[in-house]
Structure formats: C-alpha cells, structure tokens
Amino acid sequence: NAGVTQTPKFRILKIGQSMTLQCAQDMNHNYMYWYRQDPGMGLKLIYYSVGAGITDKGEVPNGYNVSRSTTEDFPLRLELAAPSQTSVYFCASSLLGLNTGELFFGEGSRLTVL
Amino acid sequence: QQQVKQSPQSLIVQKGGISIINCAYENTAFDYFPWYQQFPGKGPALLIAIRPDVSEKKEGRFTISFNKSAKQFSLHIMDSQPGDSATYFCAASRTQGGSEKLVFGKGTKLTVNP
C-alpha cells in the first residue's frame, strides 16, 4: 500500500516552460487536493477534487490546471512557468473529505523555475 | 487575509520540557481544528484534531486546548523529546456546507535539544 505517490520529486524549469506534476493514490479515496508550500507561509490550496470528473479552485489557482479522469490520479499542470511558482507542491487525499478528519499527504515535489 | 494566525514561528525546548504552540482564527464558522506534523523532506501528517464542542483533547503526550470565546486553540507537547523536532501546522476548516478548504497557519519549527 503506497499511499499517495508524487512524481517527480525534484524538477527545474525555465521560465515559460510547462510541465505536469503527477499524483496517484491507491487508497480508493474520493477527495484529492493540491497544495503549495512556501517557506514560512504554510500550505495553500491550489485545486481540489471531490471525485472523478469534478474539480474546483482553491485559494491560489492562477497559473495551474487540474484534471480528474480517474479516482486514483490527480495531475497538476503548470502552464508558462514563472519564478513565482517556485515552491514545494504536495498532493493529498482523503476518503470522505475533511469530515473524516485526515488528509494523507505525499512526500512533495520541489519545483524551481529559473 | 490570513485566517489562522500561528505563533511562535520557531521554538526551542529542552528534552523533557513542555512545548506550547498557539493559534488564533477569525472565521466563527470554522468547526474543525487539526494539527499537522511535518518532518524535513516529508509531507505533513495529522497529529491530533478537535471540534469546538469540547475544550480539550489529549492523545498521549499531545493535547489540544480550545477556547471558543477567544477563538484560540493551542497544542501542548508534554515531556518533549528530540524526536518531536519538526514543523507543526495548525489548521481550520468549515466542514459543513461542502467546503473542502482547510486553512493552514504558517507553521512553527520546533527544536527539542537533548
């Protein structure tokens, strides 16, 4: 049981490039989330999904896109990377959302945009 | 607008001492208050959580104290150990009404000296 798996763990992008951060969970969780973590700033919600085919914006969605074609996968797409997107990105999942009391996080993807 | 204010930013405690981290929130609709623990290079993991119908919750050496009238809650770590050295995040959410937006504090880096 791997839990939440994120790839890649590290990536360097040039300004204007695009890429996709992959997230997969094997716990059959309905809810999935993408957060970004900047030093001293806590975690901020980018997008979330309550089930396959359903996504919604969080606090900081600009510059990102998501899709949820299956229960297991929730990729995050960065279009036209900017230095402000340098951050550590965490994917998380939950069985029934926040009412269950726990988000399960992956180990993060560290992205640098130069 | 930061909805959950966490202090202190960093904390150094001797082994065996008590670590106290405080959080204050603004939105009176919040009804779920978890604490997450994060070790370097890892994703956050749920440590303990409380709902506003109780004033205190204890799990082992970890206790949450909740003051609804003051809109404050705190984490107490008794008999702190070097293995407790990590970053701690408080968070808050309104679980009713379908919101999936867990708002995090900025984090407290705890160092427990041996």
Side-chain angles (χ1 to χ4, degrees):
Chain A
N1 198 348
V4 178
T5 302
Q6 292 184 234
T7 56
K9 291 193 185 306
F10 303 93
R11 182 75 187 266
I12 298 175
L13 280 181
K14 294 182 179 179
I15 294 172
Q17 287 184 321
S18 300
M19 75 159 297
T20 298
L21 298 177
Q22 301 292 342
C23 176
Q25 52 92 9
D26 62 358
M27 298 176 282
N28 202 29
H29 285 176
N30 292 317
Y31 293 71
M32 295 188 74
Y33 312 80
W34 274 105
Y35 286 88
R36 60 176 287 172
Q37 183 176 34
D38 300 301
M41 296 301 294
L43 292 99
K44 297 214 179 283
L45 181 65
I46 305 171
Y47 271 96
Y48 68 96
S49 169
V50 301
I54 306 170
T55 61
D56 206 348
K57 295 178 180 179
E59 298 175 74
V60 289
N62 292 343
Y64 307 95
N65 276 301
V66 294
S67 60
R68 185 93 182 271
S69 57
T70 67
T71 299
E72 295 78 18
D73 300 298
F74 190 41
L76 177 71
R77 178 82 177 163
L78 282 73
E79 303 283 1
L80 298 175
S84 62
Q85 292 179 306
T86 294
S87 187
V88 181
Y89 292 84
F90 287 98
C91 179
S93 72
S94 176
L95 180 60
L96 294 173
L98 294 178
N99 282 312
T100 67
E102 184 166 10
L103 298 183
F104 293 85
F105 283 84
E107 295 200 335
S109 296
R110 182 177 294 274
L111 176 66
T112 302
V113 181
L114 300 174
Chain B
Q1 181 186 10
Q2 184 188 358
Q3 298 189 51
V4 178
K5 294 184 178 180
Q6 184 173 348
S7 63
Q9 200 170 7
S10 62
L11 180 62
I12 299 174
V13 174
Q14 291 299 119
K15 178 182 176 181
I18 302 173
S19 304
I20 301 174
I21 304 171
N22 300 300
C23 284
Y25 63 97
E26 300 167 0
N27 189 343
T28 55
F30 286 153
D31 59 359
Y32 171 62
F33 303 90
W35 285 87
Y36 278 79
Q37 179 188 54
Q38 184 180 29
F39 293 105
K42 302 293 185 182
L46 180 67
L47 184 63
I48 187 173
I50 197 168
R51 296 191 185 270
D53 51 345
V54 297
S55 60
E56 185 175 283
K57 183 175 182 180
K58 184 176 181 179
E59 291 185 2
R61 296 184 293 107
F62 300 90
T63 299
I64 298 179
S65 297
F66 185 81
N67 186 329
K68 188 174 181 178
S69 61
K71 295 188 287 186
Q72 295 175 346
F73 58 111
S74 60
L75 176 69
H76 295 235
I77 305 174
M78 310 300 289
D79 188 26
S80 299
Q81 299 296 311
D84 297 330
S85 296
T87 298
Y88 293 81
F89 294 94
C90 62
S93 178
R94 175 186 177 186
T95 60
Q96 303 302 314
S99 171
E100 287 299 316
K101 297 177 182 179
L102 188 61
V103 180
F104 284 85
K106 292 186 176 182
T108 297
K109 184 176 182 180
L110 172 66
T111 302
V112 181
N113 289 327

